[in-house]
């Protein structure tokens, strides 16, 4: 029999971006000031994680399968922000040159983006005082800048897909993850 506490429907979600050397808050503690919120997200689309692995089946004469190879592991996550704000522009157009007023206004130049820009990224979902976080252990990069939609019947949104890069070493790590109670910052 299953365990209902292992299944969740989330009322709220956020994506946070920070410099590569940012401290990952552990144990449900709050994000530090270096972490910036992406803002309102398309909740119907949610977060989509894709795991890609290339494989090849190897056959002996006579068509007998003798082995399969698996390599080139890649993890991406897609999300759709509704807001035009500094954090979204930092993802879409790193080095953009746009100033944001904080009241929804902005002005400046959108420059050709730095396609090699690296950052830490965190995905968070919440219901009540329960939180689930998945934070890049090393860094992420924007892998795909998908469609941007503006029309008369929907909120404007952008599609952003990020690639997650693991740490180096004998046991490469993709994410730090936490699911549990939200905790106050106790200065640890």
């Amino acid at each position: 029999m299953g365990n209902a506490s292992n299944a969740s429907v989330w009322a709220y979600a956020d994506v946070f971006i920070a410099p590569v050397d940012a401290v990952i808050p552990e144990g449900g503690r709050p994000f530090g000031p270096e972490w910036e919120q992406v803002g309102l997200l398309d909740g119907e689309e949610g977060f989509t994680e894709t795991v890609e692995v290339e494989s090849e089946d190897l056959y002996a004469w006579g068509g007998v399968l003798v082995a399969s190879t698996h390599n080139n592991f890649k993890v991406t996550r897609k999300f759709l922000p509704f807001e035009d704000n500094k954090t979204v522009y930092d993802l879409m157009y790193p080095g953009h040159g746009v100033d944001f007023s904080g009241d929804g206004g902005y002005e400046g130049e959108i420059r050709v983006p730095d396609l090699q820009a690296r950052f830490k990224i965190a995905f968070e979902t919440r219901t009540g005082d329960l939180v689930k976080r998945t934070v890049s252990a090393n860094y992420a990069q924007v892998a795909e800048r998908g469609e941007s939609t503006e029309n008369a019947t929907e909120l404007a949104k952008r599609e952003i897909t990020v690639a997650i890069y693991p740490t180096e070493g004998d046991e490469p790590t993709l994410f730090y993850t936490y699911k549990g109670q939200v905790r106050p910052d106790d200065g640890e």
Side-chain angles (χ1 to χ4, degrees):
M1 176 169 272
N3 182 344
S5 65
N6 290 331
S8 303
V9 175
W10 301 101
Y12 304 99
D14 285 304
V15 173
F16 295 87
I17 306 299
V20 172
D21 61 353
V23 174
I24 296 173
E26 295 182 359
R29 290 178 179 81
F31 286 93
E34 68 274 21
W35 290 88
E36 298 178 353
Q37 263 182 310
V38 167
L40 297 173
L41 303 168
D42 184 335
E44 188 172 327
E45 291 293 326
F47 305 138
T48 304
E49 182 174 293
T50 303
V51 176
E52 298 175 32
V53 177
E54 293 178 12
S55 64
E56 181 180 0
D57 293 333
L58 305 172
Y59 296 90
W61 277 355
V64 176
L65 178 65
V66 292
S68 295
T69 62
H70 306 276
N71 56 34
N72 299 332
F73 181 88
K74 180 180 179 182
V75 175
T76 60
R77 281 209 167 183
K78 180 176 75 171
F79 58 98
L80 287 81
F82 283 133
E83 293 189 39
D84 280 339
N85 62 31
K86 179 186 177 304
T87 307
V88 171
Y89 271 57
D90 287 348
L91 287 168
M92 293 293 293
Y93 310 105
H96 51 77
V98 177
D99 293 320
F100 291 84
S101 64
D103 62 358
Y106 53 88
E107 180 177 7
E109 299 173 344
I110 298 176
R111 301 180 184 123
V112 174
D114 173 2
L115 299 177
Q116 302 306 315
R118 296 177 177 187
F119 48 88
K120 270 208 175 15
I121 190 165
F123 298 87
E124 179 179 274
T125 50
R126 294 178 312 284
T127 295
D129 65 349
L130 182 65
V131 65
K132 177 183 174 189
R133 288 186 181 156
T134 305
V135 185
S136 59
N138 190 9
Y139 67 88
Q141 288 183 305
V142 174
E144 185 177 337
R145 291 158 176 85
E147 293 182 352
S148 295
T149 305
E150 295 182 19
N151 61 49
T153 60
E154 298 177 326
L155 284 172
K157 61 186 170 184
R158 300 175 183 278
E159 182 179 301
I160 300 173
T161 303
V162 295
I164 309 299
Y165 291 82
T167 59
E168 297 177 5
D170 293 336
E171 296 181 10
T173 302
L174 287 165
F175 297 111
Y176 163 78
T177 189
Y178 172 83
K179 181 181 176 188
Q181 301 301 306
V182 175
R183 292 185 170 159
D185 187 7
D186 55 12
E188 287 183 19

